[in-house]
Every structure is written in structure tokens, then in C-alpha cells.
Amino acid sequence: MKVDSAGLDVLSRGECLELLSSTPIGRIVFTDRALPAVQPVIFCLDGEDIVIRTDAGSKLAAATRDTIVAFESDEFDPRTHAGWSVTAVGHARGVHDTAEIDRLSALPLAAWVPGEQDHFIVLSTQQLSGRRLRP
Amino acid sequence: MKVDSAGLDVLSRGECLELLSSTPIGRIVFTDRALPAVQPVIFCLDGEDIVIRTDAGSKLAAATRDTIVAFESDEFDPRTHAGWSVTAVGHARGVHDTAEIDRLSALPLAAWVPGEQDHFIVLSTQQLSGRRLRP
């Protein structure tokens, strides 16, 4: 197992994807009026892509239109201090193709908030890195 | 209770600070080689400031030197879909004053990773916003 300069285990791409498929919650990092912004999102994987569902009129939909964003998910146990985090940096795009929207609509992507969640964002995981903290 | 366009409860500044003081884990959002970056951190509040401890030679220390960063913390229950998130955007600075370092060293800020955690970052919570999702 590779270890980074802080003493954390470095996860492989396969391990990162496996961990991402184990949790429904992540955070998307974007720019809002030239300031850094971060928002929790419900997501699921579609192959190696991250798929998020939002309102077409949302700030998130506008901010992730054909741009580079970061995405993070993690799980830590405050008692044992064990856990992991995975970060993806890649190209985000809104989905407008009807066939693709139909296909993505079948993903197990639950809406946690009320309101229309009619807009899909697909984020490629070009850069994927992860760390595991052992207890 | 104020509700936003997505149907989420809008939290007051006081509620945001109270929630931030209830959890040891957050994520700091910064820029790394012109790309968005996000990293989980252990933090605690010092009054209304967020305090993080890191290695003086870390990427995080370099990236948060006198700049505007975002910070996020959240807690969600995947079963009930209830939870909250708080986001701060503000000025981050490294601490170099010996008296301030001594004072911050007394904060209940546990190190979860091995290695020197000799550098303090203080993030002001100039902009603080929070949402609560009811089950």
C-alpha cells in the first residue's frame, strides 16, 4: 500500500470508484460570482462518471455548465478516526440529449429535496484521488 | 422558519455556528494549480473563526495563505434524509504570531493524522449560510 507524505494510505482508482459507489452523498465544488462555493449533493455513479440531479434553474445547474469542477465524498468515524475521502476533478456538463436523459432517469438517484429535479449533471472523473486513514 | 427555493430551511448565523461547534470534520475548498480542490480537515471554532491545524509544508498551508476560501460541514442521515449543511466563505490566513500560536495550541483540536501539525490556519466566517433538510 502506497502512503503519502502525511502518512495516509493512497487509494487506487478502482478503490476510489468502489468507495464512491458505497455512499449517496458528496459535495460539488464550483465558482459562484468569482468566489469558491461548495454544495452537498446526492449522486450516483454511471460507469466511471458521477451523475447529479438538480433543478434546471438552480445555481448549481448554471455553475456546472461545461466547466471544470471538483467533487468530494468521505466517511470518517469520529471515535476511531478511521475513514476515507475521495476527490474527483473533471469536466462537468449538463445533459440535453433526450435518449441520455431517459437512460439517466433509470439510475438509482433518489431526490432528497422537494421540487423539480429535472436536470442531470454528468461529471467525468478524469482526475481521481483518494486517501484512507487507518484507526 | 425561512425556506429557500428548494424547500430547505434557511439557518440563522447563530444556528450555523452552533452546528459547526457540534462536529469535528469539515472540508476546505481552495485552488490548486488553477483547479478547484477540496480536502477534509479537522477543525474547531475559536469564537466565530474556524481554526485548522496542518503541516507548515503542506499544500493546504500554501493554498490558504492570505486568500479567500470556502469551508463546508454537514451531517445527513441516509435513512431518514434529514440533515444539515453549513458553508462559510471568508479570508484565510496562516498564524505566525507566537502568542496567538500558544493560545490556539490550547484549543481542543485533535490531530487525526501522523506527522507535524505545527501550522494553524484561521478562517473568518464573513459569509455563513446553512440549510436544514427535514425528514
Side-chain angles (χ1 to χ4, degrees):
Chain A
M1 176 62 79
K2 230 174 98 182
V3 172
D4 74 2
S5 61
L8 304 176
D9 292 347
V10 176
L11 303 176
S12 69
R13 182 174 180 87
E15 288 170 311
C16 289
L17 290 166
E18 199 175 314
L19 288 165
L20 286 182
S21 69
S22 73
T23 178
I25 299 173
R27 293 128 204 120
I28 193 154
V29 171
F30 55 102
T31 301
D32 179 32
R33 285 167 295 178
L35 287 175
V38 50
Q39 185 178 315
V41 290
I42 305 305
F43 78 102
C44 76
L45 286 184
D46 176 40
E48 300 197 347
D49 288 343
I50 291 163
V51 181
I52 296 157
R53 209 167 168 160
T54 185
D55 188 303
S58 66
K59 190 159 72 176
L60 187 61
T64 53
R65 201 164 283 154
D66 202 22
T67 187
I68 302 291
V69 301
F71 175 91
E72 192 263 359
S73 190
D74 61 47
E75 261 177 37
F76 292 99
D77 183 334
R79 280 173 302 273
T80 64
H81 293 188
W84 58 267
S85 77
V86 169
T87 302
V89 179
H91 180 256
R93 63 179 174 89
V95 178
H96 303 289
D97 178 74
T98 317
E100 191 177 7
I101 291 172
D102 286 349
R103 196 177 63 77
L104 296 179
S105 298
L107 290 174
L109 197 53
W112 288 27
V113 293
E116 289 280 354
Q117 301 277 300
D118 51 353
H119 180 70
F120 288 99
I121 299 163
V122 174
L123 166 59
S124 77
T125 55
Q126 282 146 332
Q127 280 184 33
L128 197 59
S129 61
R131 296 288 186 273
R132 187 189 300 276
L133 182 58
R134 279 172 293 180
Chain B
M1 175 63 77
K2 229 173 97 182
V3 171
D4 74 3
S5 61
L8 303 176
D9 293 347
V10 176
L11 302 176
S12 69
R13 182 173 180 87
E15 288 170 311
C16 289
L17 290 167
E18 200 176 312
L19 288 166
L20 286 183
S21 70
S22 74
T23 178
I25 299 173
R27 292 131 206 120
I28 193 154
V29 171
F30 55 101
T31 300
D32 179 31
R33 287 166 295 178
L35 287 175
V38 51
Q39 185 178 314
V41 289
I42 305 304
F43 78 102
C44 75
L45 286 184
D46 177 39
E48 300 196 346
D49 288 342
I50 291 164
V51 182
I52 296 157
R53 209 168 169 161
T54 186
D55 188 301
S58 67
K59 191 159 72 174
L60 187 62
T64 53
R65 202 163 281 153
D66 201 23
T67 188
I68 303 292
V69 301
F71 176 90
E72 192 263 0
S73 189
D74 61 47
E75 261 177 37
F76 291 98
D77 182 334
R79 279 173 301 273
T80 64
H81 293 188
W84 58 267
S85 77
V86 170
T87 301
V89 179
H91 180 256
R93 63 180 173 88
V95 178
H96 302 288
D97 178 74
T98 317
E100 190 177 8
I101 290 172
D102 286 349
R103 195 177 64 76
L104 296 179
S105 297
L107 288 174
L109 196 53
W112 287 27
V113 292
E116 288 281 355
Q117 301 278 300
D118 52 353
H119 180 70
F120 287 99
I121 299 163
V122 174
L123 166 60
S124 76
T125 54
Q126 281 146 330
Q127 280 185 33
L128 197 59
S129 61
R131 297 290 185 273
R132 188 189 299 277
L133 182 58
R134 279 171 296 179

